[in-house]
Amino acid sequence: MAKLTQDELLAQFEEMTLIELSEFVKAFEDKFDVTAAAAAPVVVAGQGGGAAAEAVEEKDEFDVVLTGAGDKKIQVIKVVRELTSLGLKEAKDLVDGTPKPVLEKVNKEAADKAKEALEGAGASVEVK
């Protein structure tokens, strides 16, 4: 039997159902007396496609985007300065140049607090 390349093996795995793949992993573990616990989820995630793997993962990083300053622009600038380490000019430029991200890649709790503070000052905000 000719030796298969890694790409050829992956092509064979792509054609297998999840049940067949699970049976293969079990047979592999029995034959070589190993545990493939770390490798199995990687293979299964690859089998399901990128969209399925992303759907399972919960989003844990959010961007807080200022979409409008509202009537109380000065209050919004103050809140932006509190949330970020920006100076007065930079915060004013951010508020004037909406839509702009105020915070990027923050956890859900921080994003919710920032949104609440900005909306309390009269701004319109999106969390993405």
Side-chain angles (χ1 to χ4, degrees):
M1 182 173 146
K3 186 175 179 181
L4 296 175
T5 66
Q6 185 176 2
D7 290 335
E8 291 170 332
L9 281 171
L10 289 174
Q12 290 296 316
F13 290 139
E14 285 178 345
E15 295 175 11
M16 298 174 86
T17 65
L18 289 176
I19 293 172
E20 292 170 334
L21 190 58
S22 175
E23 290 170 355
F24 170 78
V25 170
K26 176 81 171 115
F28 187 90
E29 289 174 339
D30 291 344
K31 169 91 175 165
F32 296 104
D33 194 28
V34 294
T35 303
V42 173
V43 174
V44 171
Q47 177 73 17
E54 289 176 18
V56 174
E57 293 181 26
E58 217 176 287
K59 188 173 180 181
D60 59 353
E61 290 184 341
F62 298 88
D63 294 342
V64 179
V65 179
L66 182 67
T67 56
D71 295 336
K72 301 177 182 177
K73 189 169 148 183
I74 294 173
Q75 295 300 326
V76 174
I77 292 171
K78 287 181 181 180
V79 172
V80 167
R81 290 192 66 203
E82 290 172 10
L83 294 172
T84 64
S85 59
L86 296 176
L88 181 60
K89 181 180 181 335
E90 292 84 5
K92 181 183 180 303
D93 291 345
L94 187 146
V95 171
D96 288 340
T98 57
K100 291 259 183 157
V102 177
L103 298 173
E104 294 179 321
K105 297 182 180 179
V106 295
N107 63 27
K108 179 138 179 75
E109 184 179 318
D112 289 341
K113 284 182 181 178
K115 179 180 180 185
E116 186 178 310
L118 287 165
E119 286 178 343
S124 19
V125 182
E126 286 182 11
V127 176
K128 296 181 180 181

